[in-house]
Amino acid sequence: MARVHPFTALMASLEQRLEPSDYVPRSNAAPQPSHVRSLLGAANPTAELRRLRESGALLRDARPALYLVEIHSPAGKLGGPPVRFLLCALNADAGLPLEHDPYRPRAWEAEPAVTLTADDHGVLRGLLAEASERAITVWQGQFDGHPMSLRRIEPSPVSKRLQAVLDEAPMRPLAALNEGGPALAAVVPLSDPGLELQPIHRALKGVDTFKEETFLTLVTAYARVYELDEPLDTPRGLSAARERLATLISGHHAVLLVLPGGRGRILRFRQGLDLAHLKGAPRNPTLRSLDLALLNALVLRTVLGIKDPEASGHPQVFPVQGLESLVRGVEEGTFQAGFALNPPPVWEVRAVMEAQATLPPRTLRVEPLPPAGLLFLDREA
């Protein structure tokens, strides 16, 4: 049974430059330009979308089609080809969400669910590039500094090949899909070199068991502790810490401990640790090899005694996007301390997909993301 479908689109008249709104998206939720905020902020976005369609504010496409969103590097930044997302209608059984407790869109018709797709040999990436050459440009402009375009893929042999490839490829959405019908999805191949997988760090607040000196002593049973050469409260120090965390010793897992006063330590986990006997460690061996799993099982659970540190909405463990935000939160006293992680490598995410495993909540974030409101899925077509 086909999982990916063309859809009838509803389109608004878009300005060449889409203005960002004050909405701060959770994890992998699509950014919301200002023109779509009132719709997605409505009590019933689906009813509001119906009202806009009936009023003539939205134009309905003549026939179902697939669409292509191309996002280029920001102006002034060197970049290769654009990151290409295929906009399509996706069935709920297309694939399990990659993370536990994923973001649930307020309107499945308007917020594209980014869906990572295995593309080990670059077939999907090549098909999207071929489709781009033949597609019709619907809109071209800019959002949040990124030049981007929306193109319509006419029903053709290329569109059929795209559907055939996607009906077989492993797919994992980063948002919940609509169990009551198709959802608007933005499918992107993991092989796209412009796709960035960014880590979501962890911060502590109100943890009575965290005493710096005691913690640094106890954690040596599981990790070797390294001093930083420069403080974290300067751009140079942040850059140096990132580089050292990523290149400390190839093949090892490590996290960056962020402390008040711009101080920090790198914790490099010891090799050969047997996690299988630890309470709360993932049963799946693929998940046990993730940096976040090691942080949760060895540091937060075992050393600090925090119960269920991976749970969503934890009162003491908070997800934080961006190392700068983590350092600032610790420096300002919002958090006691923080743990910064390396970006998850593509091969590791691919292994999780292959194992049919599910990542802890708020493990990673994808950049760039296509914004909501470029078009809408007409569920009543």
Coordinates of all heavy atoms in Angstrom, one line a residue, residues 294-348:
L294 N 24.2 7.4 27.4 CA 25.3 7.3 28.4 C 25.1 8.3 29.4 O 25.3 8.1 30.6 CB 26.6 7.4 27.7 CG 27.0 6.2 26.8 CD1 28.2 6.6 25.9 CD2 27.3 5.0 27.6
L295 N 24.8 9.6 29.0 CA 24.6 10.6 30.0 C 23.4 10.3 30.9 O 23.6 10.5 32.2 CB 24.3 11.9 29.2 CG 23.9 13.1 30.1 CD1 25.1 13.6 30.9 CD2 23.4 14.3 29.2
N296 N 22.3 9.8 30.4 CA 21.2 9.5 31.2 C 21.5 8.4 32.2 O 21.2 8.4 33.4 CB 20.0 9.1 30.3 CG 19.3 10.3 29.7 OD1 19.4 11.4 30.2 ND2 18.6 10.1 28.6
A297 N 22.1 7.3 31.7 CA 22.3 6.1 32.5 C 23.4 6.2 33.5 O 23.2 5.8 34.7 CB 22.5 4.9 31.6
L298 N 24.5 6.7 33.0 CA 25.7 6.8 33.9 C 25.8 8.0 34.8 O 26.1 7.9 36.0 CB 27.0 6.7 33.1 CG 27.2 5.4 32.3 CD1 28.4 5.5 31.4 CD2 27.3 4.2 33.2
V299 N 25.5 9.2 34.2 CA 25.7 10.4 35.0 C 24.4 10.8 35.8 O 24.5 11.0 37.0 CB 26.1 11.5 34.0 CG1 26.2 12.9 34.8 CG2 27.4 11.2 33.3
L300 N 23.3 10.9 35.0 CA 22.1 11.5 35.7 C 21.5 10.4 36.6 O 21.1 10.8 37.8 CB 21.1 11.9 34.6 CG 21.6 13.0 33.7 CD1 20.5 13.5 32.7 CD2 22.3 14.2 34.4
R301 N 21.3 9.2 36.2 CA 20.7 8.2 37.0 C 21.7 7.7 38.1 O 21.4 7.6 39.3 CB 20.3 7.0 36.2 CG 18.9 7.1 35.5 CD 18.6 5.9 34.7 NE 17.3 5.9 34.1 CZ 16.1 5.6 34.7 NH1 16.2 5.1 35.9 NH2 15.0 5.6 34.0
T302 N 22.9 7.2 37.7 CA 23.7 6.5 38.6 C 24.5 7.4 39.5 O 24.5 7.2 40.7 CB 24.7 5.6 37.8 OG1 24.0 4.7 36.9 CG2 25.6 4.7 38.7
V303 N 25.1 8.4 39.0 CA 26.0 9.3 39.8 C 25.1 10.3 40.6 O 25.3 10.5 41.8 CB 27.0 10.1 39.0 CG1 27.7 11.1 39.8 CG2 27.9 9.1 38.3
L304 N 24.1 10.9 40.0 CA 23.3 11.9 40.6 C 22.0 11.3 41.2 O 21.3 12.0 42.0 CB 22.9 13.0 39.7 CG 24.2 13.9 39.2 CD1 23.8 14.9 38.2 CD2 24.8 14.6 40.4
G305 N 21.6 10.1 40.8 CA 20.4 9.5 41.4 C 19.1 10.1 41.0 O 18.1 10.1 41.7
I306 N 19.1 10.7 39.8 CA 17.9 11.3 39.2 C 17.0 10.2 38.6 O 17.4 9.4 37.8 CB 18.2 12.4 38.2 CG1 19.0 13.5 38.8 CG2 16.9 13.0 37.6 CD1 19.5 14.5 37.8
K307 N 15.7 10.2 39.0 CA 14.8 9.2 38.5 C 14.3 9.6 37.2 O 13.8 10.7 37.0 CB 13.7 9.0 39.5 CG 12.7 7.9 39.1 CD 11.6 7.7 40.2 CE 10.6 6.6 39.8 NZ 9.6 6.5 40.8
D308 N 14.3 8.7 36.2 CA 13.7 8.9 34.9 C 14.2 10.2 34.3 O 13.3 11.0 33.9 CB 12.2 8.8 34.9 CG 11.6 7.5 35.5 OD1 12.3 6.5 35.2 OD2 10.6 7.5 36.1
P309 N 15.5 10.4 34.1 CA 15.9 11.7 33.6 C 15.5 11.9 32.1 O 15.5 13.0 31.6 CB 17.5 11.6 33.7 CG 17.8 10.1 33.7 CD 16.6 9.5 34.4
E310 N 15.2 10.8 31.4 CA 14.8 10.9 30.0 C 13.4 11.3 29.8 O 12.9 11.6 28.7 CB 15.1 9.6 29.2 CG 14.3 8.5 29.6 CD 14.7 7.8 30.9 OE1 15.8 8.1 31.5 OE2 14.0 6.9 31.4
A311 N 12.6 11.3 30.9 CA 11.1 11.6 30.7 C 10.8 13.0 30.3 O 11.5 14.0 30.7 CB 10.4 11.4 32.1
S312 N 9.8 13.2 29.4 CA 9.4 14.5 29.0 C 8.9 15.3 30.1 O 8.2 14.8 31.0 CB 8.4 14.4 27.9 OG 8.9 13.8 26.7
G313 N 9.1 16.6 30.2 CA 8.6 17.5 31.2 C 9.2 17.2 32.6 O 8.6 17.5 33.6
H314 N 10.4 16.7 32.6 CA 11.1 16.3 33.9 C 11.3 17.6 34.7 O 11.7 18.7 34.2 CB 12.4 15.7 33.7 CG 12.9 14.9 34.8 ND1 13.5 15.6 35.9 CD2 13.0 13.6 35.1 CE1 13.9 14.7 36.8 NE2 13.6 13.5 36.4
P315 N 11.0 17.6 36.0 CA 11.1 18.8 36.8 C 12.5 19.2 37.1 O 12.8 20.4 37.6 CB 10.4 18.5 38.1 CG 10.5 17.0 38.2 CD 10.5 16.5 36.8
Q316 N 13.5 18.4 36.8 CA 14.9 18.7 37.2 C 15.9 18.7 36.0 O 17.0 19.2 36.1 CB 15.4 17.8 38.3 CG 14.7 17.9 39.6 CD 15.2 16.8 40.6 OE1 15.2 15.6 40.3 NE2 15.6 17.3 41.7
V317 N 15.4 18.0 34.9 CA 16.3 17.9 33.7 C 15.6 18.6 32.5 O 14.4 18.2 32.2 CB 16.5 16.4 33.4 CG1 17.5 16.3 32.2 CG2 17.2 15.7 34.6
F318 N 16.2 19.5 31.9 CA 15.6 20.4 30.9 C 16.3 20.3 29.6 O 17.6 20.4 29.6 CB 15.5 21.8 31.4 CG 14.7 22.0 32.6 CD1 15.3 21.8 33.9 CD2 13.4 22.4 32.6 CE1 14.6 22.0 35.1 CE2 12.7 22.6 33.7 CZ 13.2 22.4 35.0
P319 N 15.6 20.1 28.5 CA 16.3 20.2 27.2 C 16.6 21.6 26.8 O 15.8 22.5 27.0 CB 15.2 19.6 26.2 CG 13.9 19.8 26.9 CD 14.2 19.8 28.4
V320 N 17.7 21.9 26.2 CA 18.2 23.2 25.8 C 18.8 23.1 24.4 O 19.7 22.3 24.2 CB 19.2 23.8 26.8 CG1 19.7 25.2 26.3 CG2 18.6 23.9 28.2
Q321 N 18.3 24.0 23.6 CA 18.8 24.0 22.2 C 19.9 25.1 22.1 O 19.7 26.3 22.5 CB 17.7 24.4 21.2 CG 16.7 23.3 21.1 CD 15.5 23.7 20.1 OE1 14.5 23.1 20.1 NE2 15.7 24.7 19.3
G322 N 21.1 24.7 21.7 CA 22.2 25.6 21.5 C 23.1 25.7 22.6 O 22.7 25.9 23.8
L323 N 24.4 25.6 22.4 CA 25.4 25.6 23.5 C 25.4 27.0 24.1 O 25.6 27.1 25.3 CB 26.8 25.2 22.9 CG 28.0 25.3 23.9 CD1 27.7 24.4 25.1 CD2 29.3 24.8 23.2
E324 N 25.3 28.0 23.3 CA 25.3 29.4 23.8 C 24.2 29.6 24.8 O 24.4 30.2 25.9 CB 25.1 30.4 22.7 CG 26.3 30.5 21.8 CD 26.3 29.5 20.6 OE1 25.4 28.6 20.7 OE2 27.2 29.6 19.8
S325 N 23.0 29.1 24.5 CA 21.8 29.2 25.4 C 22.1 28.4 26.7 O 21.7 28.8 27.8 CB 20.6 28.6 24.7 OG 20.2 29.4 23.6
L326 N 22.7 27.2 26.6 CA 23.0 26.4 27.8 C 24.0 27.2 28.7 O 23.8 27.3 29.9 CB 23.6 25.1 27.4 CG 23.9 24.1 28.5 CD1 22.7 23.7 29.2 CD2 24.7 22.9 27.9
V327 N 25.1 27.7 28.1 CA 26.1 28.4 28.9 C 25.5 29.7 29.6 O 25.7 30.0 30.7 CB 27.3 28.8 28.0 CG1 28.2 29.8 28.8 CG2 28.0 27.6 27.6
R328 N 24.6 30.4 28.8 CA 24.0 31.6 29.3 C 23.0 31.2 30.5 O 23.0 31.9 31.5 CB 23.2 32.3 28.2 CG 22.6 33.6 28.7 CD 22.1 34.5 27.5 NE 21.2 33.7 26.7 CZ 21.4 33.2 25.4 NH1 22.6 33.4 24.9 NH2 20.5 32.6 24.8
G329 N 22.3 30.1 30.3 CA 21.3 29.7 31.4 C 22.1 29.4 32.7 O 21.6 29.7 33.8
V330 N 23.2 28.7 32.6 CA 24.0 28.4 33.8 C 24.6 29.6 34.4 O 24.6 29.8 35.6 CB 25.1 27.3 33.4 CG1 26.0 27.1 34.6 CG2 24.4 26.0 33.0
E331 N 25.1 30.5 33.5 CA 25.8 31.7 34.0 C 24.8 32.6 34.7 O 25.1 33.3 35.7 CB 26.4 32.5 32.8 CG 27.3 33.6 33.2 CD 28.6 33.1 33.9 OE1 28.9 32.0 33.7 OE2 29.1 34.0 34.6
E332 N 23.5 32.7 34.2 CA 22.5 33.6 34.8 C 21.8 32.9 36.0 O 21.0 33.6 36.7 CB 21.5 34.0 33.8 CG 22.1 34.8 32.6 CD 21.1 35.1 31.5 OE1 20.0 34.5 31.6 OE2 21.4 35.9 30.6
G333 N 22.1 31.7 36.3 CA 21.5 31.0 37.5 C 20.2 30.4 37.2 O 19.6 29.8 38.1
T334 N 19.8 30.3 36.0 CA 18.6 29.6 35.6 C 18.8 28.1 35.9 O 17.8 27.4 36.3 CB 18.2 29.9 34.1 OG1 18.1 31.3 33.9 CG2 16.9 29.2 33.8
F335 N 20.0 27.6 35.6 CA 20.3 26.2 35.8 C 21.5 26.1 36.7 O 22.4 27.0 36.7 CB 20.6 25.5 34.4 CG 19.5 25.7 33.4 CD1 19.7 26.3 32.2 CD2 18.2 25.1 33.7 CE1 18.7 26.5 31.3 CE2 17.2 25.2 32.8 CZ 17.4 25.9 31.6
Q336 N 21.6 25.0 37.4 CA 22.8 24.7 38.2 C 24.0 24.4 37.4 O 25.1 24.8 37.6 CB 22.5 23.4 39.1 CG 21.6 23.6 40.2 CD 21.3 22.2 40.8 OE1 20.5 21.5 40.3 NE2 21.9 21.9 41.9
A337 N 23.8 23.5 36.4 CA 24.8 23.1 35.5 C 24.2 22.5 34.2 O 23.0 22.4 34.2 CB 25.7 22.0 36.2
G338 N 25.0 22.2 33.3 CA 24.5 21.7 32.0 C 25.4 20.6 31.4 O 26.6 20.6 31.8
F339 N 24.9 19.9 30.5 CA 25.7 18.9 29.8 C 25.5 19.1 28.3 O 24.3 18.9 27.8 CB 25.3 17.5 30.2 CG 25.6 17.2 31.7 CD1 24.6 17.4 32.6 CD2 26.9 16.7 32.1 CE1 24.9 17.1 34.0 CE2 27.1 16.5 33.4 CZ 26.1 16.7 34.4
A340 N 26.5 19.4 27.6 CA 26.4 19.6 26.1 C 26.9 18.4 25.4 O 27.8 17.7 25.9 CB 27.2 20.8 25.7
L341 N 26.2 18.1 24.3 CA 26.5 16.8 23.6 C 27.0 17.2 22.2 O 26.7 18.2 21.6 CB 25.2 16.0 23.5 CG 24.7 15.5 24.8 CD1 23.4 16.2 25.2 CD2 24.4 14.0 24.8
N342 N 27.7 16.2 21.6 CA 28.0 16.3 20.2 C 26.8 16.1 19.3 O 25.9 15.4 19.7 CB 29.1 15.2 19.8 CG 30.5 15.7 20.1 OD1 30.9 16.8 19.8 ND2 31.3 14.8 20.7
P343 N 26.8 16.6 18.1 CA 25.7 16.3 17.1 C 25.7 14.8 16.9 O 26.8 14.2 16.7 CB 26.1 17.1 15.9 CG 27.0 18.1 16.3 CD 27.8 17.6 17.5
P344 N 24.6 14.2 16.8 CA 24.5 12.7 16.5 C 25.0 12.5 15.0 O 24.5 13.2 14.1 CB 23.1 12.4 16.7 CG 22.3 13.6 16.5 CD 23.2 14.7 17.0
P345 N 25.9 11.6 14.8 CA 26.3 11.4 13.4 C 25.2 10.7 12.6 O 24.4 10.0 13.2 CB 27.6 10.4 13.6 CG 27.4 9.8 14.9 CD 26.7 10.8 15.8
V346 N 25.2 10.9 11.3 CA 24.2 10.4 10.5 C 24.1 8.8 10.6 O 23.1 8.2 10.6 CB 24.4 10.8 9.0 CG1 23.5 10.0 8.1 CG2 24.1 12.3 8.9
W347 N 25.3 8.2 10.6 CA 25.3 6.7 10.6 C 24.6 6.2 11.9 O 24.0 5.1 11.9 CB 26.8 6.2 10.5 CG 27.7 6.5 11.7 CD1 28.6 7.5 11.8 CD2 27.7 5.8 12.9 NE1 29.2 7.5 13.0 CE2 28.7 6.5 13.7 CE3 27.1 4.7 13.5 CZ2 29.1 6.1 15.0 CZ3 27.5 4.3 14.8 CH2 28.4 5.0 15.5
E348 N 24.7 7.0 13.0 CA 24.1 6.5 14.2 C 22.6 6.6 14.1 O 21.9 5.7 14.6 CB 24.6 7.4 15.4 CG 24.6 6.8 16.7 CD 25.4 7.6 17.7 OE1 25.0 8.7 18.1 OE2 26.5 7.1 18.2

